[in-house]
Amino acid sequence: MEPFHGTTILSVRRGGRVAMGGDGQVTLGSAIMKADAVKIRRLAGGEVLCGFAGASADAFALLERFEAKLKDYPANVPRAATELAKEWRTDRALRRLEALLAVADARCSLLVSGTGDVIQPSDGVIGIGSGGHYAVAAARGLLAHSSLAAAELVRASLEIAAGIDIYTNMQIMVEELVCPH
């Protein structure tokens, strides 16, 4: 799947915490339409972080459906994500939605796509959007060669991505959850 232009979302696990951040830029074609959009949401009473990349209306439709799946499968993010991915892939209207979701709770981090993918990365690092690959590369380097906490690492990685990707800006928002051992 081609990366979506207009955003960068990154999630990292480190030191008993999971952090997810995103930039604030919204583009329409080659024009910046908004610089301070909020692309990270807390769901399930604040226990689940969800970031989105892609068409805004599509992403919001998916966020609503994912939140409904979380109500159907409380405290089971992998099952809720799998059920969303199945519905997304098989439903005639949903199939046309162009977005990706990154979701994380205290136990797992997942990338959810409309092609039916629900992927849990082995290193706990997820990057989506046009700057996602840059942010993942930066995060992996910082994980290996720094002692930054999860939220600081996400912010620094997104700043690096913003210096490379023209669809990513420095208006960065980071959310964090504590992961009990």
Side-chain angles (χ1 to χ4, degrees), residues 9-156:
I9 303 295
L10 179 68
S11 180
V12 171
R13 290 179 171 276
R14 176 178 248 184
R17 296 180 180 270
V18 61
M20 184 178 293
D23 76 308
Q25 186 164 298
V26 175
T27 55
L28 184 58
S30 61
I32 298 169
M33 301 304 293
K34 184 174 173 86
D36 59 353
V38 177
K39 301 172 193 172
I40 307 293
R41 299 286 192 273
R42 285 183 173 266
L43 305 176
E47 298 298 314
V48 177
L49 300 176
C50 187
F52 59 87
S56 296
D58 293 355
F60 285 119
L62 291 168
L63 282 172
E64 287 176 11
R65 294 214 184 231
F66 183 59
E67 193 160 31
K69 296 295 181 193
L70 286 170
K71 288 177 184 168
D72 292 342
Y73 304 99
N76 193 343
V77 170
R79 177 75 188 271
T82 301
E83 293 300 320
L84 174 66
K86 287 191 321 193
E87 185 178 337
W88 190 355
R89 183 171 170 77
T90 58
D91 184 271
R92 184 171 251 183
L94 286 180
R95 246 192 326 240
R96 300 186 198 322
L97 299 182
E98 296 183 5
L100 288 171
L101 298 179
V103 300
D105 71 355
R107 292 179 297 283
C108 67
S109 297
L110 303 168
L111 182 145
V112 186
S113 80
T115 57
D117 295 318
V118 177
I119 300 167
Q120 183 172 6
S122 56
D123 63 0
V125 179
I126 295 174
I128 60 174
S130 61
H133 297 305
Y134 302 121
V136 167
R140 288 182 176 152
L142 290 170
L143 279 167
H145 301 287
S146 81
S147 59
L148 292 174
E152 296 168 320
L153 199 143
V154 165
R155 182 171 298 283

